[in-house]
Amino acid sequence: MRYAQGGGLTAERRAFRERLRAEAAERFARGDDTAVVAHDLRVTVRSVQRWRRAWAEGETRALARRCGEQLQARRVDQRL
């Protein structure tokens, strides 16, 4: 397996990405536009769209869980 720890991200970088998702969730609650959130957080609009969908399905905890599930699915795919 090439990336034992979440797609090659260090623990520090994973924590940084988690903070971005938390900030995005706060912005979603305020009603900020997807493109504005993406620009301000310096991420792609597509990432923010995925985060917003996860957030809409279950608020902040779902956002963190969904991102973790995607990471775990990638790990399984890499093993195959």
Side-chain angles (χ1 to χ4, degrees), residues 40-79:
D40 291 350
L41 298 180
R42 296 182 178 191
V43 296
T44 66
V45 170
R46 182 67 185 124
S47 289
V48 175
Q49 289 170 338
R50 284 192 306 265
W51 298 346
R52 186 182 290 275
R53 187 175 58 244
W55 175 81
E57 291 173 0
E59 299 295 326
T60 307
R61 279 185 274 150
L63 179 59
R65 187 183 69 240
R66 174 69 51 89
C67 295
E69 288 172 359
Q70 290 172 352
L71 180 62
Q72 189 173 24
R74 278 191 225 126
R75 288 181 190 154
V76 170
D77 289 343
Q78 289 173 351
R79 290 181 200 157

Side-chain angles (χ1 to χ4, degrees), residues 13 16-17 19-21 23-24 27-28 33-51:
R13 194 68 182 155
F16 173 75
R17 294 294 291 183
R19 286 191 303 273
L20 282 180
R21 288 188 290 265
E23 172 66 23
R27 306 272 307 262
F28 300 155
D33 184 60
T34 299
V36 173
V37 173
H39 179 268
D40 291 350
L41 298 180
R42 296 182 178 191
V43 296
T44 66
V45 170
R46 182 67 185 124
S47 289
V48 175
Q49 289 170 338
R50 284 192 306 265
W51 298 346

